Amino acid sequence: MGQLILNTRPETDSQELETTLLARGYRLLSAPMLQIAFPPCPDGLDLAGVQALIFTSANGVRAFVHHSHDRNFPVLCVGDSTARMAKQVGFTEIYSANGDIHDLAHLIDVQIDPLNGALFHPAARKVAGDLATLLKDRNFDIRRQTVYDAIPVDDLPDDVINAISAHHIDAVLFFSPRTAESFVKLIKRYKLEHDLLGTRAICLSMAVQDRIGVLTWHKTMLAKRPTQEYLLSALDTAFA
């Protein structure tokens, strides 16, 4: 029987991940730490003079297509998972970075001439990095518009509480700092801090690892690159 893995990713991002985990022989529990909401956008999207779109998450793609039928823009994606979502919804000119906001800034710098128009960034209310700051010396006009929200959940599912209390969880997957922060908050609320001593934390980035570092784990593992594929490789390595 395979190791029991707790997936903390939002439901919107979990279908491919959970299918892959099951195919690799793991058992699964799910406790999404964030709920994704797509609020109304009564004034539409501000696309006048835009030469390309920036997507820093698959939810950014979902939010854009929720509000617009236009698929003619070139798109620059933070990583391959986001790029696959962009292709799935109908975009054809797609450029992908290596999964990190700094890699995306470099891709924009190499691929885009700032004189040809603005870049539109459909984003969450809270973002992990500021592309405008990273590219401030290159005179890019990055037009960020809030089109979705990632809302921390208030509770852990009963089956997850029971599994943590019984020390049955072998590893927890963390894909974002906000997901990690939400998990830490709930673990403390339910007084489960001492029930993770045999559990591994598998982290997408150092920023994620920093957030879960306030809890005591059996081991923390860091993906070599901030992509789902490398995170799953870190998970496999944890049990090798």
Side-chain angles (χ1 to χ4, degrees):
M1 189 163 55
Q3 289 87 4
L4 182 59
I5 308 303
L6 177 60
N7 173 31
T8 64
R9 212 171 193 189
E11 290 183 11
T12 53
D13 296 316
S14 289
Q15 183 175 358
E16 177 189 351
L17 170 65
E18 295 192 350
T19 298
T20 301
L21 287 167
L22 291 171
R24 294 190 183 196
Y26 293 109
R27 295 176 295 131
L28 287 177
L29 282 177
S30 181
M33 292 291 103
L34 301 171
Q35 293 180 337
I36 306 302
F38 302 101
C41 189
D43 297 326
L45 304 182
D46 184 11
L47 298 174
V50 166
Q51 63 165 312
L53 309 177
I54 299 171
F55 292 127
T56 51
S57 73
N59 284 315
V61 180
R62 295 184 184 101
F64 182 88
V65 302
H66 187 74
H67 295 293
S68 173
H69 297 292
D70 195 335
R71 304 292 182 271
N72 294 319
F73 290 102
V75 300
L76 300 106
C77 299
V78 69
D80 291 343
S81 179
T82 302
R84 285 194 295 270
M85 176 59 65
K87 183 178 180 179
Q88 180 179 323
V89 301
F91 290 102
T92 57
E93 188 177 350
I94 301 169
Y95 304 93
S96 180
N98 293 322
D100 179 86
I101 195 74
H102 294 86
D103 295 325
L104 178 57
H106 177 70
L107 176 66
I108 293 168
D109 191 21
V110 170
Q111 195 67 41
I112 299 295
D113 184 344
L115 297 178
N116 290 338
L119 300 173
F120 182 76
H121 179 198
R125 196 170 305 280
K126 293 184 178 181
V127 294
D130 188 350
L131 279 169
T133 298
L134 293 174
L135 293 166
K136 64 182 180 180
D137 296 330
R138 293 284 286 113
N139 297 316
F140 283 98
D141 177 11
I142 297 180
R143 193 178 300 165
R144 191 174 80 196
Q145 185 171 344
T146 298
V147 291
Y148 74 96
D149 204 359
I151 305 165
V153 300
D154 294 324
D155 301 289
L156 285 172
D158 289 341
D159 59 345
V160 171
I161 295 172
N162 293 336
I164 294 175
S165 299
H167 305 161
H168 289 166
I169 303 291
D170 295 299
V172 185
L173 306 183
F174 295 106
F175 282 82
S176 74
R178 291 197 68 209
T179 294
E181 289 168 358
S182 180
F183 182 83
V184 169
K185 181 178 179 179
L186 290 176
I187 288 295
K188 291 181 176 180
R189 177 183 299 172
Y190 286 96
K191 302 187 186 305
L192 298 170
E193 296 98 319
H194 301 296
D195 294 315
L196 295 169
L197 296 177
T199 303
R200 296 157 177 82
I202 315 297
C203 305
L204 188 71
S205 67
M206 289 187 66
V208 175
Q209 192 175 46
D210 288 344
R211 302 304 195 282
I212 58 94
V214 298
L215 300 176
T216 302
W217 302 87
H218 172 66
K219 182 186 295 185
T220 61
M221 302 286 289
L222 181 65
K224 291 183 179 179
R225 292 185 180 177
T227 69
Q228 178 172 296
E229 289 76 12
Y230 277 94
L231 183 138
L232 292 176
S233 178
L235 174 65
D236 292 340
T237 299
F239 297 108

